[in-house]
Amino acid sequence: MIAMSLRGVRGGVGTSSTLAALGYALHELGQKVLLVDMCPENSLGLHFNLNLAPREGWARATLDQQPWHEHAWSVEPGLCVLPYGQVQPAEYTRLDALLLEQPQLWSQRQAALADAFDWVLFDLPQRLPGHAANPHCDIAVMVLNADAACHVLLQPLLAKKPLFLVNRFDAASQLQRDLVLIWQHRYTQSLVPLSLHADEAMGEALARSEPAGRYAPGSLIAHDIISLASWCLLRGRRPA
Amino acid sequence: MAALPTAVQISADILSRRQRADDIARLKSMMELHALEYVDVSAHMELLQAFERWPLLAYLEAQYQLPVDLQKHKEPSP
């Protein structure tokens, strides 16, 4: 089983939409996939026509000391979503402290999931360090847009040699072309060697409660996501 | 496929497979220009132009450059 996480370098870069589309694409390539919502917004399931902010989820269950694994939703055979659950701000702050105190919590859970899934994808929150650090991932990707704000936020992170993925790339933009050129030259080893293009289909897919690949299989973004999924299979050394 | 005759015979033992497939590496070896580095001038120019266009990017480039190792540039003592 390969554990992978996506985390935005800041909010609003399209991390959850990308994760939902990637999970769907990996499943289309024959993989058994579990998507885990690590964000208190509790909205990952909307990409798969599930309820908004379901009450039950792994975080709610962890706080209530209930079994955490009973609240996953099966979208299709071999494609599941585990929601966060409804949690108040004070509670998720307490849960974050708990996750920092118990850094092995999700590792143990991942080991229990290893037989059931080929991939576990974590949608990490941009803040909440305990939530972001707890899953131990083979592939940890930071998602960013090719804009100056993301470039600023990226600078202090580069010493940790993160893997980062450009989302919503618009080749018609001089600034975006320049930024990607700089990143390709300066951070060759850190940059995922493909960019996800800006495509209206990605936004429309959420408005239809579907991942991009199901909503518009012929779209540019669906092709980009399939390329990303193939790259993940290569990186994770899993046959398609 | 016939091999083209060359003035300098390049031994397969000396160059790795990757080097043999690399035209520039072969040329450097033949011309004995081992110190010659390949520089993509047009890409370098594009990079400079990008920094000229966007002052914030140039500023950040200067801010986050690796600090110079002073030990390497120590002045010789008299």
Short mmCIF file of all heavy atoms in Angstrom, two decimals, chain B residues 51-76:
data_model
loop_
_atom_site.label_atom_id
_atom_site.label_comp_id
_atom_site.label_asym_id
_atom_site.label_seq_id
_atom_site.Cartn_x
_atom_site.Cartn_y
_atom_site.Cartn_z
N PHE B 51 13.50 37.55 -14.38
CA PHE B 51 13.85 38.33 -13.17
C PHE B 51 13.76 39.83 -13.43
O PHE B 51 13.43 40.59 -12.52
CB PHE B 51 15.24 37.94 -12.66
CG PHE B 51 15.28 36.59 -12.01
CD1 PHE B 51 16.19 35.61 -12.43
CD2 PHE B 51 14.41 36.27 -10.98
CE1 PHE B 51 16.21 34.36 -11.84
CE2 PHE B 51 14.42 35.02 -10.38
CZ PHE B 51 15.33 34.06 -10.82
N GLU B 52 14.05 40.24 -14.67
CA GLU B 52 13.91 41.67 -15.01
C GLU B 52 12.45 42.10 -15.01
O GLU B 52 12.11 43.20 -14.59
CB GLU B 52 14.53 41.93 -16.39
CG GLU B 52 16.04 42.12 -16.33
CD GLU B 52 16.64 42.27 -17.72
OE1 GLU B 52 15.89 42.53 -18.68
OE2 GLU B 52 17.86 42.09 -17.82
N ARG B 53 11.60 41.21 -15.50
CA ARG B 53 10.17 41.55 -15.60
C ARG B 53 9.52 41.66 -14.23
O ARG B 53 8.65 42.49 -14.02
CB ARG B 53 9.44 40.46 -16.40
CG ARG B 53 9.26 40.76 -17.85
CD ARG B 53 8.28 39.78 -18.49
NE ARG B 53 8.82 38.43 -18.62
CZ ARG B 53 9.51 38.01 -19.68
NH1 ARG B 53 9.76 38.81 -20.67
NH2 ARG B 53 9.95 36.78 -19.73
N TRP B 54 9.95 40.83 -13.28
CA TRP B 54 9.24 40.73 -12.00
C TRP B 54 10.22 40.98 -10.86
O TRP B 54 10.89 40.06 -10.40
CB TRP B 54 8.58 39.35 -11.86
CG TRP B 54 7.87 38.88 -13.10
CD1 TRP B 54 8.24 37.88 -13.94
CD2 TRP B 54 6.66 39.41 -13.65
NE1 TRP B 54 7.35 37.74 -14.98
CE2 TRP B 54 6.37 38.66 -14.82
CE3 TRP B 54 5.78 40.43 -13.28
CZ2 TRP B 54 5.25 38.93 -15.63
CZ3 TRP B 54 4.67 40.67 -14.07
CH2 TRP B 54 4.42 39.93 -15.22
N PRO B 55 10.27 42.22 -10.38
CA PRO B 55 11.26 42.57 -9.35
C PRO B 55 11.14 41.74 -8.06
O PRO B 55 12.15 41.44 -7.43
CB PRO B 55 10.96 44.05 -9.06
CG PRO B 55 10.24 44.55 -10.26
CD PRO B 55 9.50 43.39 -10.83
N LEU B 56 9.90 41.34 -7.69
CA LEU B 56 9.76 40.55 -6.46
C LEU B 56 10.49 39.20 -6.60
O LEU B 56 11.12 38.73 -5.66
CB LEU B 56 8.28 40.31 -6.14
CG LEU B 56 8.02 39.43 -4.91
CD1 LEU B 56 8.53 40.08 -3.63
CD2 LEU B 56 6.54 39.09 -4.77
N LEU B 57 10.42 38.62 -7.79
CA LEU B 57 11.09 37.33 -8.00
C LEU B 57 12.60 37.50 -7.91
O LEU B 57 13.30 36.65 -7.35
CB LEU B 57 10.69 36.72 -9.35
CG LEU B 57 9.19 36.57 -9.65
CD1 LEU B 57 8.98 35.72 -10.90
CD2 LEU B 57 8.44 35.96 -8.49
N ALA B 58 13.10 38.61 -8.45
CA ALA B 58 14.54 38.89 -8.37
C ALA B 58 14.97 39.13 -6.92
O ALA B 58 16.02 38.64 -6.48
CB ALA B 58 14.87 40.12 -9.22
N TYR B 59 14.12 39.85 -6.19
CA TYR B 59 14.41 40.13 -4.77
C TYR B 59 14.49 38.82 -3.97
O TYR B 59 15.42 38.59 -3.20
CB TYR B 59 13.31 41.04 -4.21
CG TYR B 59 13.29 41.16 -2.72
CD1 TYR B 59 14.24 41.93 -2.04
CD2 TYR B 59 12.29 40.51 -1.97
CE1 TYR B 59 14.20 42.03 -0.65
CE2 TYR B 59 12.26 40.61 -0.60
CZ TYR B 59 13.21 41.37 0.07
OH TYR B 59 13.18 41.46 1.43
N LEU B 60 13.50 37.93 -4.19
CA LEU B 60 13.48 36.65 -3.47
C LEU B 60 14.67 35.78 -3.86
O LEU B 60 15.22 35.07 -3.03
CB LEU B 60 12.17 35.91 -3.74
CG LEU B 60 10.93 36.54 -3.13
CD1 LEU B 60 9.67 35.87 -3.66
CD2 LEU B 60 10.97 36.44 -1.60
N GLU B 61 15.05 35.85 -5.13
CA GLU B 61 16.20 35.10 -5.61
C GLU B 61 17.45 35.51 -4.83
O GLU B 61 18.24 34.66 -4.40
CB GLU B 61 16.39 35.35 -7.11
CG GLU B 61 17.55 34.63 -7.76
CD GLU B 61 17.32 33.13 -7.90
OE1 GLU B 61 16.21 32.66 -7.60
OE2 GLU B 61 18.27 32.44 -8.30
N ALA B 62 17.60 36.84 -4.63
CA ALA B 62 18.76 37.36 -3.89
C ALA B 62 18.66 36.98 -2.41
O ALA B 62 19.65 36.62 -1.78
CB ALA B 62 18.82 38.87 -4.05
N GLN B 63 17.44 37.04 -1.85
CA GLN B 63 17.25 36.75 -0.42
C GLN B 63 17.57 35.31 -0.08
O GLN B 63 18.12 35.02 0.97
CB GLN B 63 15.79 37.04 -0.03
CG GLN B 63 15.43 38.49 0.05
CD GLN B 63 16.04 39.15 1.27
OE1 GLN B 63 15.85 38.71 2.38
NE2 GLN B 63 16.79 40.20 1.04
N TYR B 64 17.15 34.40 -0.96
CA TYR B 64 17.24 32.98 -0.62
C TYR B 64 18.39 32.26 -1.31
O TYR B 64 18.44 31.04 -1.31
CB TYR B 64 15.91 32.28 -0.93
CG TYR B 64 14.86 32.61 0.10
CD1 TYR B 64 14.00 33.68 -0.09
CD2 TYR B 64 14.77 31.89 1.29
CE1 TYR B 64 13.05 34.01 0.88
CE2 TYR B 64 13.83 32.21 2.24
CZ TYR B 64 12.97 33.27 2.04
OH TYR B 64 12.04 33.59 3.00
N GLN B 65 19.32 33.05 -1.87
CA GLN B 65 20.52 32.41 -2.43
C GLN B 65 21.28 31.73 -1.31
O GLN B 65 21.25 32.19 -0.17
CB GLN B 65 21.44 33.47 -3.04
CG GLN B 65 21.25 33.66 -4.51
CD GLN B 65 22.19 34.72 -5.04
OE1 GLN B 65 22.95 35.31 -4.29
NE2 GLN B 65 22.13 34.96 -6.31
N LEU B 66 22.02 30.68 -1.64
CA LEU B 66 22.85 30.03 -0.63
C LEU B 66 23.94 31.00 -0.17
O LEU B 66 24.55 31.67 -1.01
CB LEU B 66 23.51 28.77 -1.22
CG LEU B 66 22.58 27.61 -1.47
CD1 LEU B 66 23.34 26.49 -2.15
CD2 LEU B 66 21.97 27.12 -0.17
N PRO B 67 24.17 31.13 1.15
CA PRO B 67 25.22 32.03 1.61
C PRO B 67 26.59 31.57 1.12
O PRO B 67 26.84 30.37 0.99
CB PRO B 67 25.13 31.95 3.14
CG PRO B 67 24.39 30.71 3.42
CD PRO B 67 23.50 30.44 2.25
N VAL B 68 27.44 32.53 0.82
CA VAL B 68 28.77 32.22 0.31
C VAL B 68 29.61 31.62 1.44
O VAL B 68 29.59 32.11 2.57
CB VAL B 68 29.43 33.50 -0.23
CG1 VAL B 68 30.85 33.23 -0.70
CG2 VAL B 68 28.60 34.09 -1.34
N ASP B 69 30.29 30.53 1.11
CA ASP B 69 31.17 29.91 2.10
C ASP B 69 32.47 30.70 2.18
O ASP B 69 33.30 30.65 1.27
CB ASP B 69 31.42 28.45 1.68
CG ASP B 69 32.23 27.71 2.73
OD1 ASP B 69 32.71 28.37 3.68
OD2 ASP B 69 32.37 26.49 2.59
N LEU B 70 32.63 31.46 3.26
CA LEU B 70 33.78 32.38 3.37
C LEU B 70 35.10 31.61 3.44
O LEU B 70 36.14 32.13 3.04
CB LEU B 70 33.62 33.27 4.60
CG LEU B 70 32.43 34.25 4.52
CD1 LEU B 70 32.29 35.02 5.82
CD2 LEU B 70 32.62 35.24 3.37
N GLN B 71 35.05 30.37 3.94
CA GLN B 71 36.29 29.59 4.06
C GLN B 71 36.93 29.36 2.69
O GLN B 71 38.14 29.32 2.55
CB GLN B 71 35.99 28.23 4.69
CG GLN B 71 35.58 28.31 6.15
CD GLN B 71 36.68 28.89 7.03
OE1 GLN B 71 37.85 28.54 6.87
NE2 GLN B 71 36.33 29.82 7.90
N LYS B 72 36.06 29.25 1.68
CA LYS B 72 36.57 28.96 0.33
C LYS B 72 37.24 30.19 -0.28
O LYS B 72 38.00 30.06 -1.23
CB LYS B 72 35.42 28.52 -0.58
CG LYS B 72 34.98 27.10 -0.34
CD LYS B 72 33.94 26.73 -1.37
CE LYS B 72 33.44 25.32 -1.10
NZ LYS B 72 32.26 25.03 -1.90
N HIS B 73 36.86 31.37 0.23
CA HIS B 73 37.37 32.60 -0.38
C HIS B 73 38.32 33.32 0.57
O HIS B 73 38.46 34.52 0.52
CB HIS B 73 36.20 33.51 -0.75
CG HIS B 73 35.28 32.85 -1.72
ND1 HIS B 73 35.56 32.76 -3.06
CD2 HIS B 73 34.10 32.19 -1.53
CE1 HIS B 73 34.58 32.11 -3.66
NE2 HIS B 73 33.69 31.75 -2.77
N LYS B 74 38.92 32.58 1.47
CA LYS B 74 39.82 33.21 2.43
C LYS B 74 41.03 33.79 1.71
O LYS B 74 41.61 33.14 0.83
CB LYS B 74 40.30 32.15 3.43
CG LYS B 74 40.78 32.75 4.73
CD LYS B 74 41.44 31.71 5.59
CE LYS B 74 40.47 30.78 6.24
NZ LYS B 74 41.11 29.76 7.08
N GLU B 75 41.39 35.03 2.07
CA GLU B 75 42.54 35.68 1.42
C GLU B 75 43.83 35.01 1.90
O GLU B 75 43.96 34.65 3.08
CB GLU B 75 42.57 37.16 1.79
CG GLU B 75 41.50 37.96 1.10
CD GLU B 75 41.56 39.43 1.49
OE1 GLU B 75 42.59 39.86 2.02
OE2 GLU B 75 40.55 40.12 1.24
N PRO B 76 44.77 34.83 0.98
CA PRO B 76 46.03 34.21 1.41
C PRO B 76 46.77 35.12 2.38
O PRO B 76 46.83 36.32 2.18
CB PRO B 76 46.80 34.04 0.09
CG PRO B 76 46.17 35.00 -0.87
CD PRO B 76 44.76 35.20 -0.44
#
